[in-house]
Amino acid sequence: MTTAVLTTATRAASSSPDADMGGLSGLVLQLIEALGEWGVALMLFVETVFPPIPSEVILPLAGFLAGAGRMNLVLVLVLATLGSYVGALVLYWLGRVIGFERTVRWLGKLPLVDEDDFRTAAAWFHRHGRSAVLFGRLVPIVRSLISLPAGADRMNLASFSLFTILGSGLWNSVLVLGGAALGTQYDKVEGYTEWIDRAMYAAIVVVVVVFVVRRVRRGRAERNAPAAQDHAPAAGVHGRRRAETTGD
């Protein structure tokens, strides 16, 4: 009897998604399962304030574990949305209390964070109005940063909270439920682990390369700006001298 029970337990453990899947995807699955549902909330909180940690990776894998019976699906959805909302509140209050420009300069110093992303979110907010807080949650990059211009413009907190919870809940549900659907068939997904790992590595490389290229371009633009300003007055002086000479 004891041997039969141990054999069943061993088979169950070996057939779990985090045991079957190796590589980077397996490590991320193990991390998410170790942290649990509240860990998903924490990761979504960080993802909202620190955009390079993508919910597109966290949520499907959390849903995958839920579909495999390793996490509570409803709790994942609720706590993921809670984490997103609390993270959005942090950016909202930073924008409201400190101001947009000062916050952007401060957050722009974080690794893999670019100031242009904040300005893109601000442009989206000013173009679409307060409804951007709802629909912007479905747009990459804008989704995480739209809270900052909303706070800087002193959007009503009740409206901001409602739109944030609805938009984040919809986004999270799509990703979590998609992962859960795969989690019910993790024995089939196992065969694609290598391709999943390659996609994740490729995404990391793309993010880093894009960040470096943007930083290099910005550095060049900042170095060229003072030179352009210095030459402009000089050109004006030479132009006036030529005009005076011609006039004589």
Side-chain angles (χ1 to χ4, degrees):
M1 177 69 72
T2 304
T3 303
V5 172
L6 289 175
T7 302
T8 302
T10 301
R11 288 177 178 174
S14 62
S15 62
S16 64
D18 54 342
D20 291 341
M21 296 180 67
L24 180 60
S25 56
L27 289 175
V28 175
L29 281 171
Q30 291 177 23
L31 174 62
I32 293 174
E33 185 174 12
L35 294 174
E37 292 86 352
W38 282 99
V40 174
L42 176 61
M43 286 186 281
L44 264 292
F45 165 78
V46 175
E47 184 267 345
T48 303
V49 180
F50 187 59
I53 301 177
S55 60
E56 292 88 341
V57 172
I58 299 169
L59 292 176
L61 291 177
F64 183 80
L65 289 170
R70 305 297 291 259
M71 298 180 76
N72 185 293
L73 178 61
V74 175
L75 198 55
V76 167
L77 287 170
V78 171
L79 292 181
T81 302
L82 176 63
S84 299
Y85 172 63
V86 174
L89 275 182
V90 170
L91 289 179
Y92 173 89
W93 283 110
L94 283 174
R96 184 159 185 155
V97 175
I98 300 179
F100 181 82
E101 291 297 334
R102 290 177 62 188
T103 304
V104 167
R105 286 196 298 270
W106 178 58
L107 293 178
K109 297 177 181 179
L110 294 174
L112 300 181
V113 175
D114 195 286
E115 294 182 12
D116 290 341
D117 293 336
F118 289 93
R119 304 194 190 286
T120 298
W124 179 279
F125 179 80
H126 294 135
R127 186 182 307 117
H128 298 284
R130 298 184 176 185
S131 62
V133 175
L134 172 61
F135 299 110
R137 301 294 170 188
L138 309 177
V139 180
I141 299 178
V142 172
R143 179 184 71 254
S144 299
L145 306 178
I146 195 70
S147 306
L148 186 59
D153 279 20
R154 297 183 175 274
M155 178 179 177
N156 178 270
L157 181 58
S159 299
F160 172 82
S161 298
L162 177 62
F163 290 167
T164 297
I165 292 172
L166 289 176
S168 297
L170 177 59
W171 173 264
N172 295 347
S173 296
V174 170
L175 294 180
V176 170
L177 293 177
L182 293 176
T184 60
Q185 306 177 49
Y186 66 80
D187 54 329
K188 298 179 181 178
V189 176
E190 179 190 359
Y192 298 95
T193 299
E194 183 178 353
W195 292 103
I196 295 173
D197 285 341
R198 290 179 180 178
M200 294 177 69
Y201 286 126
I204 293 172
V205 171
V206 168
V207 169
V208 173
V209 169
V210 169
F211 171 77
V212 171
V213 169
R214 293 172 72 178
R215 280 296 175 92
V216 169
R217 288 180 176 176
R218 175 179 294 174
R220 289 177 178 174
E222 291 175 351
R223 287 193 299 269
N224 293 334
Q229 293 175 357
D230 291 340
H231 288 307
V237 171
H238 292 314
R240 285 196 299 272
R241 288 178 179 175
R242 286 195 299 269
E244 291 171 359
T245 302
T246 304
D248 291 342

